Amino acid sequence: MSYLTGVPTGALRGRDKESDALRALVDRAGAGAGGCLLLLGGPGTGKTALLDLAAAYAAGETPHGFLVLRTQGVRGETHLPYAGLHALLHPIADRLDTTAADMRMLAEALRAGVAPGGLALPAALLRLLRTAGRPVLVCADDLQWLDAPSREAICFVARRAVAAPVAVLLASGEPGTAPGDLPPLPLAPLDERASCQVLDDLVPDGLPGDLRTALVRAARGNPLALAELAGSLTDAHRTGTAPPPETPPRGGRLWRAYADRLRGLPADTADLVLLIAADPGIDAATLVRAAESRCGLAPLEAAETAGVVAETPDGGFDLADPILRHVAYAEASLARRRAAHRLLARLYNGVSGGEHQRLRRAWHRAAALDGPADHLAEDLVRALAAAAKATAFPEPFRVLERAAELTGHGEAKAARLAAAARHAWQAGQPQRARSLLSRIDTLGAGVEVRGHAELVRGSLELRAGTTDSACDTLLAAAERLLRTDREQAVRALVRAGEASYLAGDNRRFLAIARRAETLRRPDDDHVTRLALEYLAGMAATFRGRHREATASLRRVVSGVTAPPSAGSPWALVWGGVAHLLLGNGADALTLASRAVEMARAHGAVASMPQMLEILIQAQLWSGRYDAVAANAMDGLRLAQETGRATSGAQHLAWLAFTAAVAGDEETCVLRAARAVELAAAHGVSVAEALGTLALAHLDVAANRHADAVNRLRTVARTGDPLVVRVMATPLLVESAVRTGDIAQARDALVILDRWADSTRDPDRLALAARCHALLAPPAEAGERFSEALELHRQGACAFETARTRLLYGGMLRRSRRPGAAREHLHGALETFERYGARLWSEHARAELRAAGESVRPSGSRSEADRLLTAQQFQIATLVAEGATNREVAARLFISPRTVEHHLRNIFARLGVRSRVELTRLLY
């Protein structure tokens, strides 16, 4: 069955800027000063839909009563002179029946297809449109297929329409076929948000998140591709038993359009195109050797001119669009494809280039079936194992899937499918991983293979399903693997522990840690010992046995830099977490940064959102909120692209927190609500607590202390992670003191005191001292605040230092020491302004005014990147690049109203009055 049940909406998703430009052109023509726009884009990009929108607007939504004339190029009529004009002028053909010589000439051209040369006929067409008695909209689609005389006449009018009530809209889908002197309006691919909206319109019942992500990735922003991919879905796609479609259906409009383009290429060119389609990214030297028997690379020029082939950034060659690549390969006969693969295998045989070239050779031999199937399969597996890192082509999961297809034996076949599923998961393709796992069930695989499959299945569930289900599956995988693969069994236990941590289920985490403790053996390898120490240290921390935890955590941080684990991003993550729990923020930041860079270098895109979580936590503790916002935005994007909903919830919560620090209430509430919603759906208690923490920070900044206390009571419950409770304690103590709930404040402080004392981290000790200052009697408070500030000087978090100075300054003012108060309040204000923390800056100014000081307005630094907050600068840059408010909102996951609010502040801070002035300032 097809899931394509929706109806496209009236709005064109992701085409706001283009739609506005077309409406503006029509409006100018209605006022007597027309013009022209040339829409440029490949098949399926929405050119015709935009022409339809403009025609509907001109015909029914303007007060000018437009005459709308349309024509479309047809490949079969390209050789017929004036066929395009015949279609365009058919609705007003009766106006040509006059005695005027130029109109008779125009009528004769349409009747007989002949006309005198020169300007006479184009000038007659221009006069006809100018004297139509009302404004005219001319729409010419598929300009590349219009006959030459019609195209020349319409373009003649387009160049002169600016002085007439005539708007000309042209659309061309082939590179190099449109006049270069007409104002272009290129249609870029839809962004991810708009692509998702198109799918939601087409499939109102919704699609599984990872399937939707896969379709968005496959369509690459092409609206027609999205529609045809959605229309090709079946029950097997939705349940994950079939891999998501990677190309629109064969025979569909988009496929036919690309096939038509390819059929127009010369034979020698088509052969080179097939080689490139079979080996995307092929280097120039190899392609030259492949073309030696022909005419070298000269035939490739026709493909480049037609926009079929493009050079890659590293100097190789690929087809201009992955969908076009699939079409070029599939449209070739089986014999031609096998011949291409055999040739490529010979070219890569013995060529310098290391193990990557060996893998390409094995791939092409397997594709050509150039040998016994079992030998080809073994060659693929060995070549992949020898490759230093993941490659863009051939992708590891495809290599292993092909090896499985060539393997006849059930156990070996299942093992290769399980390995392929693991690589697909790591590559950010969970839907394909699930489909590969579903094929194992019918093969009668043994315990070890099923254990590996369960490990992948549990990992998928951990990132995109529910944490409880993930934990169950991972524990089952660990038990299956214990006898045959201890390292992977322990890895499964670590992931099960992560699932229980994310769920806020400390009891289950402790049970997992106890189980892991029974598995220790003297002959365990280094990574296994490291994983077991990590679980032991985490468990002791959760029990509140911080001194006991210290020993295990220190063994983890010393072990992660040893050679056996130094190359593992996950070992570095364990070390980063251990450093955080030990209070070593700078070391945690170093290891987390290395883990992120290592994962990026290895192409492990799917693990990046989780790597970034640890990096963000380390940056947050040191008050690097700009970096937190940038990395959380990157993490959210990657989580959405790879179907990592649990990680996406956490990144949304971090973005809510940075919005709270900035005092952007609307954005904070929007992001926190989405984070909490996503967390509840997937059982991610951590993200729910972080979203609540962000709202509480906003409440404290806005002096809503009773609201903050109510929120923080939920965060402070035993089941929430220690790190979140530690972060929440200073806010809870401050708000509880302000509301008179001293007992609750003292109870909350116990956890922070115990943990800060065990780590001796100056930043956490400073926060604890600040809390004690708020609880101390007036005679002792000053000493406590001074102690906190001294500790802050030893730490790294300037923002929390400013918060302490604000509270101390307020206390000094109330103690009738305005001079001493002003020193701290000025320091706090300067820091808050540097952070762009609006609400906290207002607090500091209010305290300064209360201390008898006239407060200047916010500073007027000349450099925009220093004057604006990170988010304001990001918004300013996007606006200066031409983005509309709606496009900025979609890119940054905020509301258009928030963008408007920020723009007003940006204009005020930079002293500009318009978008034009902003663009001039930034560029």
Side-chain angles (χ1 to χ4, degrees):
M1 73 176 276
S2 171
Y3 288 94
L4 188 59
T5 59
V7 178
T9 64
L12 296 180
R13 302 296 191 182
R15 297 294 186 216
D16 293 342
K17 183 168 66 174
E18 294 85 351
S19 300
D20 291 344
L22 267 58
R23 292 188 185 99
L25 174 64
V26 171
D27 289 340
R28 290 197 302 273
C36 169
L37 279 175
L38 172 61
L39 304 181
L40 296 173
T45 52
K47 302 181 298 296
T48 302
L50 282 165
L51 294 182
D52 290 343
L53 180 144
Y57 180 72
E61 300 179 39
T62 68
H64 305 293
F66 268 79
L67 170 64
V68 178
L69 301 174
R70 302 188 65 166
T71 189
Q72 181 173 10
V74 179
R75 184 193 288 267
E77 296 183 359
T78 303
H79 65 289
L80 297 177
Y82 302 110
L85 279 184
H86 186 278
L88 181 75
L89 299 179
H90 179 73
I92 55 170
D94 58 322
R95 302 188 187 186
L96 302 179
D97 189 17
T98 69
T99 57
D102 56 349
M103 293 301 105
R104 289 202 310 273
M105 175 193 61
L106 188 54
E108 180 62 18
L110 299 185
R111 186 187 67 79
V114 294
L119 294 177
L121 188 138
L125 177 63
L126 179 60
R127 187 173 82 82
L128 174 67
L129 299 178
R130 277 178 168 170
T131 59
R134 51 179 171 152
V136 179
L137 171 64
V138 173
C139 296
D141 203 354
D142 287 331
L143 195 66
Q144 72 274 13
W145 300 125
L146 275 181
D147 61 278
S150 295
R151 183 169 63 244
E152 290 167 3
I154 292 171
C155 290
F156 178 90
V157 171
R159 296 184 185 98
R160 291 156 180 80
V162 69
V166 178
V168 181
L169 287 177
L170 310 174
S172 179
E174 297 281 352
T177 59
D181 60 334
L182 298 179
L185 184 60
L187 303 186
L190 300 182
D191 61 24
E192 182 182 351
R193 186 182 181 86
S195 296
C196 288
Q197 289 173 334
V198 169
L199 285 176
D200 291 342
D201 292 338
L202 294 168
V203 191
D205 293 340
L207 295 170
D210 50 5
L211 177 57
R212 187 169 76 156
T213 299
L215 296 188
V216 168
R217 183 191 294 119
R220 298 180 67 86
N222 187 299
L224 180 57
L226 286 165
E228 294 190 339
L229 285 164
S232 70
L233 293 178
T234 64
D235 287 334
H237 291 125
R238 178 170 282 236
T239 58
T241 55
E246 295 184 291
T247 60
R250 191 166 189 164
R253 284 173 52 201
L254 193 56
W255 188 286
R256 292 198 308 271
Y258 279 137
D260 285 347
R261 181 186 292 187
L262 292 166
R263 274 192 286 272
L265 298 175
D268 284 346
T269 302
D271 287 342
L272 289 178
V273 167
L274 176 57
L275 285 174
I276 296 171
D279 194 59
I282 185 173
D283 62 278
T286 303
L287 195 59
V288 167
R289 289 190 297 120
E292 282 177 352
S293 60
R294 298 177 176 84
C295 304
L297 292 185
L300 199 61
E301 186 175 347
E304 292 177 312
T305 301
V308 170
V309 168
E311 192 171 351
T312 62
D314 59 357
F317 290 92
D318 197 357
L319 270 68
D321 185 316
I323 298 175
L324 182 59
R325 184 198 307 144
H326 284 288
V327 175
Y329 185 81
E331 285 289 308
S333 67
L334 177 60
R336 288 185 63 218
R337 293 201 300 265
R338 291 188 67 187
H341 286 297
R342 284 198 185 100
L343 173 59
L344 288 164
R346 288 198 301 274
L347 292 171
Y348 284 123
N349 187 23
V351 175
S352 62
E355 300 302 335
H356 177 52
Q357 303 293 28
R358 176 186 169 188
L359 180 58
R360 287 178 107 104
R361 176 177 178 271
W363 173 262
H364 290 301
R365 288 192 66 227
L369 292 175
D370 193 15
D374 54 343
H375 292 178
L376 295 174
E378 287 293 336
D379 197 19
L380 280 170
V381 173
R382 285 195 298 267
L384 180 62
K389 61 179 182 179
T391 59
F393 175 83
E395 295 164 287
F397 75 86
R398 295 188 196 277
V399 172
L400 289 162
E401 183 178 12
R402 181 60 177 152
E405 290 168 353
L406 294 169
T407 302
H409 185 264
E411 185 74 6
K413 188 182 191 76
R416 286 165 181 171
L417 285 171
R422 176 169 56 84
H423 280 284
W425 170 67
Q426 291 171 344
Q429 299 203 33
Q431 181 82 3
R432 180 168 287 274
R434 287 192 181 90
S435 75
L436 289 164
L437 290 172
S438 70
R439 290 159 62 181
I440 297 175
D441 297 336
T442 62
L443 296 178
V447 173
E448 182 177 359
V449 172
R450 289 194 176 278
H452 285 294
E454 286 298 294
L455 177 55
V456 177
R457 192 172 279 116
S459 300
L460 286 164
E461 189 70 11
L462 176 59
R463 302 306 173 200
T466 63
T467 51
D468 285 346
S469 175
C471 193
D472 292 339
T473 305
L474 290 164
L475 288 174
E479 294 302 323
R480 286 180 185 272
L481 291 169
L482 271 175
R483 292 184 181 178
T484 56
D485 194 338
R486 279 177 52 77
E487 181 181 345
Q488 289 303 309
V490 172
R491 180 66 60 86
L493 284 176
V494 171
R495 287 188 186 156
E498 183 184 353
S500 60
Y501 164 80
L502 290 174
D505 190 345
N506 284 354
R507 288 186 179 180
R508 196 169 197 187
F509 185 97
L510 296 177
I512 292 167
R514 285 193 296 272
R515 174 66 175 125
E517 194 63 29
T518 66
L519 303 179
R520 285 184 186 266
R521 287 195 329 207
D523 61 341
D524 279 336
D525 62 65
H526 178 78
V527 174
T528 300
R529 287 199 304 272
L530 200 66
L532 293 171
E533 290 289 0
Y534 173 73
L535 283 173
M538 293 280 285
T541 301
F542 292 164
R543 290 190 185 101
R545 300 174 183 173
H546 298 296
R547 297 191 186 282
E548 177 186 330
T550 298
S552 290
L553 294 174
R554 283 179 178 165
R555 283 192 286 271
V556 171
V557 299
S558 63
V560 295
T561 55
S565 57
S568 166
W570 286 112
L572 293 175
V573 166
W574 299 339
V577 173
H579 270 308
L580 283 174
L581 294 176
L582 290 169
N584 304 328
D587 292 330
L589 190 60
T590 299
L591 286 186
S593 299
R594 282 175 55 192
V596 168
E597 291 308 313
M598 191 176 294
R600 187 175 281 124
H602 284 79
V605 62
S607 63
M608 287 291 293
Q610 289 77 49
M611 304 286 176
L612 286 169
E613 288 169 21
I614 308 304
L615 179 62
I616 286 167
Q617 182 71 65
Q619 290 168 334
L620 190 83
W621 281 21
S622 59
R624 302 183 184 186
Y625 298 131
D626 285 357
V628 168
N631 283 320
M633 189 66 73
D634 196 25
L636 177 61
R637 176 183 59 80
L638 289 168
Q640 292 174 329
E641 288 177 359
T642 57
R644 264 59 179 173
T646 55
S647 189
Q650 293 189 75
H651 287 296
L652 275 168
W654 293 130
L655 288 169
F657 189 88
T658 57
V661 169
D664 185 347
E665 184 156 3
E666 185 175 0
T667 299
C668 175
V669 171
L670 185 71
R671 288 172 172 169
R674 179 59 182 145
V676 170
E677 177 189 1
L678 204 55
H682 295 275
V684 191
S685 174
V686 171
E688 194 171 353
L690 289 171
T692 304
L693 180 65
L695 294 172
H697 184 109
L698 187 68
D699 287 334
V700 175
N703 273 328
R704 299 190 294 261
H705 292 286
D707 292 341
V709 168
N710 288 333
R711 292 189 200 279
L712 292 168
R713 281 196 185 108
T714 64
V715 176
R717 71 182 189 270
T718 304
D720 280 322
L722 173 70
V723 171
V724 181
R725 280 184 280 153
V726 166
M727 291 172 59
T729 298
L731 294 171
L732 179 55
V733 169
E734 181 179 346
S735 293
V737 168
R738 294 290 182 92
T739 57
D741 193 347
I742 302 301
Q744 179 162 341
R746 292 190 189 281
D747 289 344
L749 187 50
V750 171
I751 293 173
L752 176 59
D753 271 339
R754 188 184 301 156
W755 187 71
D757 184 60
S758 71
T759 65
R760 307 309 299 170
D761 172 29
D763 283 310
R764 281 347 100 186
L765 288 168
L767 293 177
R770 182 173 87 198
C771 291
H772 282 289
L774 291 170
L775 287 165
E780 299 176 15
E783 184 180 346
R784 290 285 196 170
F785 273 121
S786 296
E787 177 191 351
L789 289 173
E790 178 58 35
L791 288 164
H792 277 307
R793 278 188 280 274
Q794 299 170 37
C797 188
F799 184 82
E800 289 298 342
T801 303
R803 289 260 291 112
T804 299
R805 298 189 78 177
L806 174 62
L807 289 166
Y808 189 20
M811 189 216 76
L812 290 170
R813 178 189 62 77
R814 291 188 296 276
S815 301
R816 301 179 183 239
R817 297 173 59 191
R822 285 195 290 268
E823 177 188 350
H824 291 292
L825 294 172
H826 274 302
L829 177 59
E830 182 180 344
T831 300
F832 291 145
E833 285 187 335
R834 190 169 68 248
Y835 274 85
R838 181 178 62 83
L839 293 177
W840 292 114
S841 297
E842 290 174 5
H843 275 309
R845 289 194 186 92
E847 285 286 356
L848 279 167
R849 284 192 292 270
E853 178 136 338
S854 172
V855 185
R856 61 173 174 76
S858 57
S860 55
R861 294 184 293 272
S862 59
E863 300 92 344
D865 58 344
R866 293 187 59 205
L867 187 58
L868 303 178
T869 67
Q871 188 172 57
Q872 286 174 338
F873 189 76
Q874 202 172 9
I875 291 171
T877 302
L878 290 171
V879 168
E881 290 172 353
T884 65
N885 287 4
R886 279 180 288 185
E887 289 170 334
V888 173
R891 286 276 298 277
L892 300 184
F893 300 94
I894 57 180
S895 70
R897 254 180 63 196
T898 298
V899 175
E900 292 172 10
H901 166 76
H902 279 307
L903 273 178
R904 286 195 295 271
N905 291 336
I906 290 166
F907 285 4
R909 288 190 177 198
L910 299 183
V912 298
R913 293 174 294 177
S914 69
R915 290 171 181 254
V916 173
E917 290 184 11
L918 177 63
T919 303
R920 288 172 181 163
L921 179 66
L922 294 183
Y923 293 101

